[in-house]
């Protein structure tokens, strides 16, 4: 019934939208009129503090949004979950801000954080939120892991001081504690989950009882569409958008132009130019926070030699790949992985400029000689992708110029994750966001602990002193000293090249400002560095 009713609701939304599209001509003036019609009288969630009825965002199925069942193959499952469930801290455009916790103190040794909780917070079912829920949540996650990052192993214990005070005792100092632990891991209601022994199978309505600004009204897994309704009793303030619909569309840009949705995103600058010409507004992710990269199988009989990995790096014209595929100013990938516009970027790190002569020299040294057809005997490599990524075709042609024959293998997402976890591949091509926040993501990625199934390998890579440095930076609370350690980690990654970032790609939010114009870039990215815009902090008139 829920799926059927959701289909009816979305059908009505699209019918009403279509009715407001007039003659369907494509002039800019007419398109602006159509956008205003789609906005209706609810244009007002901006400066005057009123609310709008409905915001439609392009989306797809990212799983049932409980803390244990959303998809971990990308950030959107986490974002759907974050609308319903809250964390102790959060981020806005200024950085880390209080959320369920209104203040905190840190002990002199950096091992204890004491939080004072917000008063009069209610769960969606009307029950009171207390320190008991906080203690319970982190104990529960130790047995039943949260479906995203948030390294709860750093926590020794969580202690209730009183109903509105809770203390976290850590095993060691943890520099990103406020942003990447208590700012990521959501609090769940003890009165519901204490009797749930298999949270992955728990799909009752109670599984979605949170304290957040939204409740899930309808969800259709078949079409991948969601409808959220505002929590009228949200503790942080008035929710500005009454309903948010995630609508599945085949062509996001066309759907935006036709008034079927109010917001989408792209990483293709040509789409940005088209949308802006049609009167839509754009926000560029800053910093970019995204990487498109090759992962090398370090246990491969040939790719285990870093000289071959370096030869491949020299053979790829990554500036051309970036420029052609994004249509924007190229951002060639940092061999040290951290995006080049991040405050944590090591500007002195070793890089691999396009140099086929250098690539050929390394390949000759390795003993891979060219035959009469210009192909290097004994060096046929495969590149695995989980989608038809254009980068793969460009790589194939570039490597061909230095005599490397590259076989392209496309598999589905599940097979891709399995192959990476089991080391059953040569090279893999994938894209990630989440690199715009705290650099502790380097520790998680290369120790196999990243939540994103396309980033994690499930095992720690052999990278010399890298892992020792990763532990040191995690515990270093002096920012200058931590920068020095992160620089050394980038130096190791750049030399060993367990992965090669082809380019860093900015994301662009495209939206109808007449409907809602409240989005901003989140400082350091949402949660653990997501350079996206669906931040609940910007959907609420926060009471000071």
């Amino acid at each position: 019934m829920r799926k059927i009713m959701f289909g009816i609701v979305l059908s009505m939304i699209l019918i009403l939208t279509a009715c407001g599209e007039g003659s369907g001509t494509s002039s800019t003036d007419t398109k602006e009129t159509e956008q205003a019609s789609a906005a209706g009288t609810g244009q007002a969630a901006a400066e005057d503090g009123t609310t709008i009825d409905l915001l439609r965002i392009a989306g797809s199925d990212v799983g049932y949004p409980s803390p244990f069942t959303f998809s971990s193959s990308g950030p959107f499952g986490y974002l759907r979950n974050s609308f319903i469930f809250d964390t102790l801290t959060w981020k806005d455009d200024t950085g880390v801000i209080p959320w369920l916790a209104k203040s905190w103190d840190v002990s002199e040794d950096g091992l204890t954080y004491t939080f004072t909780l917000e008063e009069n917070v209610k769960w969606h079912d009307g029950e009171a939120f207390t320190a008991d829920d906080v203690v319970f949540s982190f104990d529960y996650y130790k047995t039943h892991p949260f479906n995203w990052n948030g390294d709860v192993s750093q926590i020794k214990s969580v202690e209730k001081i009183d109903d509105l005070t809770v203390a976290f005792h850590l095993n060691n100092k943890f520099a990103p504690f406020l942003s990447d632990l208590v700012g990521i891991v959501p609090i769940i209601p003890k009165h519901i989950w204490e009797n749930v022994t298999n949270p992955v199978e728990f799909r009752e309505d109670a599984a979605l009882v949170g304290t957040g600004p939204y409740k899930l009204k309808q969800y259709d897994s078949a079409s991948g569409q969601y409808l959220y309704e505002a929590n009228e009793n949200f503790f942080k303030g008035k929710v500005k958008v009454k309903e948010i619909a995630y609508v599945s569309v085949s062509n996001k840009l066309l759907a935006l132009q036709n008034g079927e949705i109010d917001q989408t995103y792209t990483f293709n600058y040509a789409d940005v130019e088209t949308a802006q010409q049609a009167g839509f507004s754009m926000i560029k992710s800053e910093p970019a926070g995204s990487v498109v990269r090759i992962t090398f199988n370090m246990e491969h009989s040939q790719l285990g030699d870093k000289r071959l990995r370096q030869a491949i790096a020299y053979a790829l014209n990554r500036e051309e790949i970036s420029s052609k595929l994004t249509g924007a100013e190229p951002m060639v990938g940092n061999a040290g992985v951290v995006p080049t516009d991040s405050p944590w970027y090591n500007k002195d790190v070793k890089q691999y400029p396009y140099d086929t002569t250098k690539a050929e020299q390394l390949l000759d040294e390795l003993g891979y000689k060219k035959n009469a057809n210009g192909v290097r005997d004994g060096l046929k490599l495969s590149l695995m992708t989980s989608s038809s990524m254009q980068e793969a075709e460009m790589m194939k042609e570039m490597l061909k110029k230095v005599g490397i024959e590259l076989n392209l293998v496309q598999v589905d997402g599940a097979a891709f994750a399995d192959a990476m976890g089991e080391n059953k591949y040569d090279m893999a091509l994938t894209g990630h966001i989440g690199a715009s926040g705290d650099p502790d993501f380097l520790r998680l990625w290369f120790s196999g602990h990243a939540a994103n199934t396309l980033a994690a390998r499930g095992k720690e890579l052999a990278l010399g002193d890298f892992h020792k440095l990763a532990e040191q930076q995690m515990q270093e609370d002096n920012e200058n000293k931590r920068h020095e350690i992160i620089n050394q980690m980038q130096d190791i990654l750049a030399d060993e090249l367990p992965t090669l970032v082809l380019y860093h790609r900015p994301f662009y939010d495209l939206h109808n400002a007449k409907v809602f114009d409240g989005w901003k870039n989140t400082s350091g990215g949402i949660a653990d560095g997501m350079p996206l815009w669906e931040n609940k902090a910007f959907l609420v008139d926060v009471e000071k």
Side-chain angles (χ1 to χ4, degrees):
M1 178 62 71
R2 171 168 287 186
K3 293 181 180 179
I4 293 170
M5 287 304 296
F6 189 43
I8 293 170
V9 170
L10 285 173
S11 297
M12 289 302 295
I13 289 170
L14 295 178
I15 290 168
L16 289 171
T17 300
C19 290
E21 288 181 355
S23 63
T25 56
S26 59
S27 71
T28 301
D29 289 343
T30 303
K31 183 59 65 180
E32 289 177 350
T33 301
E34 291 170 3
Q35 292 171 22
S37 174
T41 58
Q43 176 187 119
E47 297 177 358
D48 62 4
T50 57
T51 59
I52 65 170
D53 292 331
L54 177 68
L55 177 63
R56 301 159 303 167
I57 304 174
S60 59
D61 184 48
V62 288
Y64 188 72
S66 98
F68 306 94
T69 54
F70 64 79
S71 170
S72 61
S73 63
F76 297 103
Y78 178 89
L79 292 175
R80 302 287 193 279
N81 173 264
S82 73
F83 279 13
I84 299 170
F85 294 89
D86 287 317
T87 50
L88 293 179
T89 66
W90 195 243
K91 289 184 196 171
D92 63 7
D93 54 322
T94 66
V96 173
I97 58 173
W99 206 250
L100 277 172
K102 64 181 181 180
S103 63
W104 53 85
D105 294 304
V106 187
S107 63
E108 246 183 77
D109 62 7
L111 296 179
T112 298
Y113 287 73
T114 303
F115 293 90
T116 301
L117 306 177
E118 287 278 4
E119 301 172 6
N120 302 316
V121 179
K122 301 289 186 183
W123 294 101
H124 293 156
D125 62 3
E127 293 288 325
F129 159 78
T130 72
D132 289 322
D133 297 306
V134 179
V135 174
F136 168 80
S137 296
F138 284 91
D139 285 344
Y140 194 81
Y141 287 130
K142 286 187 176 180
T143 304
H144 308 286
F146 175 53
N147 212 25
W148 197 245
N149 294 327
D151 191 355
V152 297
S153 69
Q154 302 299 324
I155 299 170
K156 183 177 182 180
S157 64
V158 185
E159 175 191 5
K160 175 184 176 180
I161 306 300
D162 58 44
D163 280 349
L164 293 175
T165 312
V166 63
F168 283 72
H169 305 288
L170 307 185
N171 294 313
N172 44 252
K173 289 182 181 179
F174 186 54
F177 177 75
L178 290 173
S179 62
D180 284 26
L181 211 173
V182 295
I184 290 178
V185 179
I187 308 303
I188 56 177
K190 178 181 178 180
H191 67 278
I192 289 174
W193 291 92
E194 62 184 340
N195 296 317
V196 177
T197 57
N198 190 352
V200 175
E201 298 297 325
F202 185 46
R203 303 292 179 97
E204 297 176 17
D205 290 345
L208 300 183
V209 170
T211 57
Y214 286 92
K215 305 175 185 179
L216 185 66
K217 188 175 182 179
Q218 286 144 357
Y219 165 53
D220 183 354
S221 59
S223 63
Q225 302 187 113
Y226 300 74
L227 185 63
Y228 289 85
E229 62 180 348
N231 174 10
E232 299 296 339
N233 299 310
F234 186 52
F235 70 97
K236 291 294 282 187
K238 182 180 180 181
V239 182
K240 295 188 279 191
V241 180
K242 290 183 180 179
E243 291 190 328
I244 296 178
Y246 285 95
V247 184
S248 178
V249 293
S250 57
N251 185 317
K252 294 184 290 187
L253 182 60
L254 186 61
L256 182 67
Q257 291 174 305
N258 288 342
E260 296 168 17
I261 56 174
D262 308 308
Q263 178 184 344
T264 187
Y265 78 93
T266 183
F267 45 78
N268 189 317
Y269 195 70
D271 290 347
V272 173
E273 294 176 317
T274 299
Q276 288 184 314
Q277 288 169 5
F280 293 96
S281 296
M282 179 272 284
I283 306 174
K284 178 184 177 183
S285 63
E286 293 179 340
S290 172
V291 299
V292 177
R293 66 181 180 125
I294 308 165
T295 297
F296 296 105
N297 182 351
M298 302 278 278
E299 296 179 3
H300 187 275
S301 59
Q302 295 168 309
L303 289 166
D305 191 320
K306 71 179 179 182
R307 291 175 297 172
L308 178 54
R309 304 193 294 271
Q310 292 173 348
I312 290 171
Y314 282 120
L316 295 175
N317 188 339
R318 293 178 289 145
E319 183 173 345
E320 180 182 333
I321 294 173
S322 173
S323 179
K324 284 188 175 180
L325 296 185
T326 67
E329 188 72 23
M331 289 182 66
V332 175
N334 172 21
V337 180
V338 175
T340 52
D341 61 352
S342 166
W344 295 96
Y345 169 59
N346 176 5
K347 62 181 178 59
D348 297 320
V349 74
K350 178 180 180 179
Q351 300 294 359
Y352 296 85
Y354 179 51
D355 188 341
T356 54
T357 300
K358 183 66 174 175
E360 300 251 25
Q361 177 188 332
L362 286 168
L363 292 168
D364 288 341
E365 288 177 7
L366 287 165
Y368 300 116
K369 303 301 181 183
K370 286 184 177 179
N371 60 28
N373 297 319
V375 176
R376 293 183 183 273
D377 288 326
L379 189 59
K380 184 174 182 179
L381 300 172
S382 292
L383 177 67
M384 179 177 68
T385 71
S386 59
S387 62
S388 54
M389 299 176 78
Q390 292 174 280
E391 293 89 347
E393 292 291 344
M394 296 182 72
M395 285 176 57
K396 182 173 182 174
E397 292 305 311
M398 291 174 182
L399 292 179
K400 185 177 180 180
K401 291 179 182 178
V402 297
I404 297 176
E405 188 176 352
L406 188 64
N407 180 42
L408 304 184
V409 180
Q410 184 177 334
V411 298
D412 62 31
F416 186 99
D418 288 344
M420 289 188 74
E422 298 170 7
N423 279 359
K424 294 180 178 178
Y425 70 102
D426 297 349
M427 299 185 291
L429 176 63
T430 186
H432 307 281
I433 67 173
S436 62
D438 192 276
D440 192 52
F441 80 88
L442 295 175
R443 176 180 66 90
L444 296 173
W445 278 23
F446 297 104
S447 64
H449 291 124
N452 188 327
T453 56
L454 303 186
R457 289 170 52 96
K459 61 190 297 185
E460 184 172 285
L461 298 182
L463 291 172
D465 288 338
F466 177 88
H467 299 294
K468 181 174 71 175
L469 292 167
E471 293 296 314
Q472 289 177 6
Q473 65 79 27
M474 178 185 77
Q475 299 180 40
E476 181 55 69
D477 54 10
N478 181 298
E479 188 164 318
N480 290 331
K481 291 181 179 178
R482 193 167 181 234
H483 265 281
E484 293 174 5
I485 299 169
I486 298 295
N487 284 348
Q488 293 178 63
M489 291 169 66
Q490 291 178 69
D491 286 336
I492 292 172
L493 291 174
D495 183 58
E496 292 291 337
L497 277 190
T499 189
L500 174 67
V501 180
L502 297 178
Y503 60 97
H504 303 287
R505 97 191 139 184
F507 280 66
Y508 304 92
D509 166 81
L510 303 174
H511 65 277
N512 183 348
K514 293 180 172 67
V515 176
F516 183 73
D517 199 25
W519 300 119
K520 305 174 186 178
N521 276 316
T522 298
S523 178
I526 300 172
D528 52 346
M530 303 173 192
L532 298 170
W533 298 275
E534 291 153 52
N535 185 337
K536 61 188 174 186
F538 304 137
L539 293 166
V540 180
D541 276 327
V542 176
E543 297 173 355
K544 305 298 182 187

